[in-house]
Amino acid sequence: MGERIALTNPADGFAFGAYHAPPAEARRGGLVILHAIWGVTPHLRALADDMAGEGYEVLVPSLSDRFEPGFPDNDVDPPRLPRREVWAESVGWGAGTLGDVQTAIDHLAGPVFVMGFCFGGTTAWLAASRCTGIAATACFYGGAIARYVDETPRCPTILHFGKTDPLIPPDEVAAITAAHPDIPAFLYDAGHAFVAPNAYHADSARLAMLRTRQLFQRSGGGRGEA
């Protein structure tokens, strides 16, 4: 359903790829999906197609193009993990990464929603806090959100965490919820990446996506809206 397109960050002229899936029926709005450490994987491209089938115009920007251009062929590629971890730790969330996210947001007509997973979950949190033009945000198991607990989203935001996630200890989740008691933080009987194929937990994934869809609908994502 979707296709690869090129976007250009106007701040520095950097061109990067993005997966674009047009709405298959009455448009609900735009949706930016922010990828995990692996990039714009087949799973995220399929998710984009699914959400486009529900009426969203979807973009999945390749935030790792500045490090390693292209879309991966596999959802998980263990030999590439060390290099990807170095990239994720070194890239930060400065003008490059968040500027590319803003470029994707600006490419879509509103209302524009954001969801992100793992690395993308933290990116979604910071986009909600620093970027403009976002109607609502859903952050899935953002491993570094606790580092940025002093930042506050400027749009309706929800958080999804796994109770047995070894990468996000309970004390970090507690710190986030203590700092932001008004932001819903849902805990699921699952580990890390419970929406992804390699760690999929059906009940948790379905409930988290249902809550995300409901948030978007409450925040202006009704059928037929421009």
Side-chain angles (χ1 to χ4, degrees):
M1 178 185 291
E3 63 177 354
R4 177 172 178 154
I5 65 170
L7 300 176
T8 301
N9 185 329
D12 61 6
F14 181 75
F16 58 98
Y19 185 77
H20 176 244
E25 51 182 84
R27 191 178 189 276
R28 290 183 181 272
L31 172 61
V32 176
I33 298 178
L34 302 175
H35 61 71
I37 195 171
W38 302 107
V40 186
T41 59
H43 166 246
L44 287 190
R45 300 197 295 269
L47 176 61
D49 289 343
D50 288 344
M51 297 301 288
E54 298 179 19
Y56 293 94
E57 180 182 3
V58 188
L59 277 176
V60 191
S62 184
L63 302 179
S64 57
D65 265 15
R66 292 175 181 267
F67 161 71
E68 189 174 66
F71 296 172
D73 295 326
N74 303 314
D75 288 312
V76 176
D77 189 353
R80 295 170 62 230
L81 180 58
R83 294 183 67 242
R84 285 272 160 170
E85 287 178 331
V86 169
W87 162 71
E89 284 297 321
S90 64
V91 67
W93 282 274
T97 300
L98 290 178
D100 293 347
V101 174
Q102 186 68 65
T103 299
I105 294 167
D106 293 343
H107 186 79
L108 297 168
V112 178
F113 309 98
V114 173
M115 70 167 70
F117 302 89
C118 191
F119 171 82
T122 301
T123 308
W125 172 265
L126 290 172
S129 304
R130 301 180 188 178
C131 293
T132 60
I134 304 175
T137 299
C139 307
F140 291 76
Y141 33 85
I145 291 177
R147 299 183 201 172
Y148 299 95
V149 72
D150 292 336
E151 305 215 24
T152 301
R154 296 184 289 179
C155 63
T157 298
I158 59 175
L159 308 174
H160 304 293
F161 295 107
K163 292 180 182 178
T164 58
D165 188 340
L167 302 181
I168 308 175
D171 62 320
E172 291 190 0
V173 177
I176 296 166
T177 57
H180 299 279
D182 56 328
I183 295 178
F186 300 104
L187 295 173
Y188 302 86
D189 291 320
H192 192 70
F194 58 79
V195 178
N198 59 302
Y200 187 69
H201 187 268
D203 289 345
S204 300
R206 291 185 189 121
L207 182 55
M209 289 301 299
L210 173 63
R211 286 167 167 161
T212 296
R213 288 178 171 93
Q214 290 173 337
L215 170 68
F216 293 169
Q217 290 167 14
R218 291 194 303 269
S219 302
R223 291 191 183 279
E225 295 191 5

